[in-house]
Amino acid sequence: MKTFLIIVPEGGMLFEAAGIADILTQANRLHAQDDARPLYQLTIATTQPHHVIHGQSGLNLLADYRLLDLDPKQPRDTIMVTGRGVSEEEAEQVVDWLRCAAPYARRVVSICGGAMLLAQSGLLDGRSATTHWRLLETLQTRFPKVKVASGPLYVQDGAFWTSGGVSSGFDLTLALVEDDYGFSLARTVAQDLVMYLRRPGGQAQFSRFLLNQAKSPGPISDLQSWILSNLATDLSVEKLAERVAMSPRNFTRVFTRETGATPARYVAEARLASARQRLEQSNEGLEQVASASGFGNSLNLRRVFERNLQLTPGEYRERFSARALA
């Protein structure tokens, strides 16, 4: 039997912890058909001085223990952190406990923003890891020793497993079951719960490029608006610099300073965002989408989607188009 401790910080999405607990419990139930001994002994701990975990939805979860009452040096198979909490004090408490507990655990796992706490503890230094797509740049900036992977739903590096946002924790948990007890059990659990054992694509398919806006009104801000209305035109650095009467070198420096992104990156993200929106909200053909978004043809569009989202444009449309168009 493997011990499985889930640390649930305050103010998160409780369906993460509840769903993970249900997956592990389902593995126990299916195994019980052949052997009454459970595969997992599950414990939920709160970071609070009481036993009630408050979720952001207003719902509450009753924990088995308070983290401060658990001995970090007790041997455990798996320690999982499902979020980063709502305060620095709470985060530091978890980080300190993890530093002490990690040497006595077979593996340490994070869901979503929980990777920030693993990184803060130093456990991810020199390792590959991921987190929610909104936190990827923050994780890389704050913890440069971590090798941040932006595409996968989850990443394993030795004894440390990290996952992307929210429901990707379910993908990771099925992978843990497979790692522990084999493919057949993990597949059966997934089928019983009507889940993918291997969900197609990575978390990049769910991310949204947040186009950086200039810090203040002016030529760069006006140019950004013009770019969004003229994606099919020549948007090379030279042409954009000419439009605002700057040298290419000075334009690149000013644009990057004002927006936090190079002109080339901004244009690439704007074009991809436009293509995604058209695939989601229109019945336009792929050639039309590619032309209007500035990719020229459907082959270029496909290459960009596969490189950035690990999906073809057709697969993206199938998964994310408006219900009225599906």
Side-chain angles (χ1 to χ4, degrees):
M1 181 174 64
K2 300 185 183 300
T3 56
F4 206 108
L5 172 64
I6 303 178
I7 301 171
V8 187
E10 190 79 349
M13 293 187 176
L14 298 182
F15 88 93
E16 291 176 324
I20 289 162
D22 281 336
I23 290 171
L24 299 176
T25 300
Q26 187 69 3
N28 283 344
R29 288 173 182 156
L30 292 169
H31 177 71
Q33 298 171 8
D34 303 314
D35 189 333
R37 293 173 297 180
L39 300 177
Y40 295 103
Q41 182 186 65
L42 180 63
T43 301
I44 294 180
T46 174
T47 57
Q48 298 303 298
H50 45 71
H51 284 74
V52 178
I53 304 167
H54 302 95
Q56 68 176 36
S57 64
L59 298 177
N60 300 323
L61 180 66
L62 187 62
D64 300 302
Y65 294 96
R66 302 180 304 170
L67 186 62
L68 57 85
D69 292 333
L70 295 177
D71 180 3
K73 296 183 179 181
Q74 178 182 332
R76 293 178 175 86
D77 185 81
T78 302
I79 298 171
M80 175 184 283
V81 184
T82 63
R84 56 177 173 163
V86 295
S87 70
E88 283 300 319
E89 181 181 3
E90 180 183 16
E92 289 173 3
Q93 176 191 345
V94 177
V95 166
D96 291 342
W97 194 92
L98 285 173
R99 286 197 188 106
C100 294
Y104 302 92
R106 183 171 71 90
R107 64 189 173 200
V108 180
V109 180
S110 70
I111 309 300
C112 197
M116 303 296 288
L117 303 186
L118 267 61
Q120 189 174 337
S121 70
L123 297 174
L124 298 182
D125 286 357
R127 298 185 180 277
S128 296
T130 193
T131 186
H132 190 286
W133 58 267
R134 288 187 184 274
L135 296 174
L136 290 168
E137 288 193 14
T138 303
L139 178 62
Q140 189 66 87
T141 301
R142 287 188 58 191
F143 306 103
K145 293 182 180 180
V146 180
K147 302 172 185 176
V148 178
S150 61
L153 290 169
Y154 60 86
V155 172
Q156 179 193 6
D157 191 329
F160 299 91
W161 299 61
T162 55
S163 77
V166 195
S167 65
S168 61
F170 303 156
D171 301 89
L172 182 148
T173 303
L174 286 170
L176 297 180
V177 173
E178 182 176 1
D179 188 59
D180 291 340
Y181 296 108
F183 166 77
S184 295
L185 178 62
R187 178 201 59 201
T188 305
V189 171
Q191 290 173 336
D192 269 27
L193 297 178
V194 197
M195 297 172 62
Y196 284 112
L197 180 58
R198 307 266 189 276
R199 194 179 352 171
Q203 72 161 330
Q205 64 185 296
F206 305 103
S207 67
R208 305 302 296 191
F209 285 122
L210 306 177
L211 298 177
N212 296 343
Q213 298 302 305
K215 297 175 183 177
S216 58
I220 298 300
S221 177
D222 293 342
L223 179 65
Q224 286 181 294
S225 299
W226 183 86
I227 288 172
L228 296 179
S229 300
N230 294 273
L231 293 173
T233 62
D234 181 356
L235 298 179
S236 63
V237 170
E238 290 74 18
K239 290 293 184 181
L240 294 175
E242 181 181 329
R243 186 166 186 84
V244 291
M246 296 182 184
S247 69
R249 183 176 180 180
N250 187 48
F251 166 68
T252 298
R253 181 181 60 81
V254 172
F255 190 97
T256 304
R257 183 189 67 207
E258 286 292 307
T259 69
T262 65
R265 179 182 175 185
Y266 181 84
V267 169
E269 293 182 353
R271 283 174 166 160
L272 182 56
S274 171
R276 291 174 71 168
Q277 184 177 33
R278 288 175 180 276
L279 290 169
E280 292 165 1
Q281 300 178 21
S282 79
N283 282 319
E284 294 173 342
L286 296 185
E287 288 293 342
Q288 189 175 356
V289 170
S291 177
S293 301
F295 292 107
N297 57 61
S298 61
L299 180 58
N300 289 336
L301 179 69
R302 183 186 180 102
R303 287 171 177 164
V304 169
F305 267 66
E306 289 180 340
R307 183 173 64 248
N308 289 277
L309 306 181
Q310 292 80 53
L311 294 173
T312 67
E315 289 170 335
Y316 184 87
R317 168 171 272 167
E318 184 179 346
R319 295 180 192 182
F320 296 105
S321 62
R323 185 170 61 87
L325 301 173

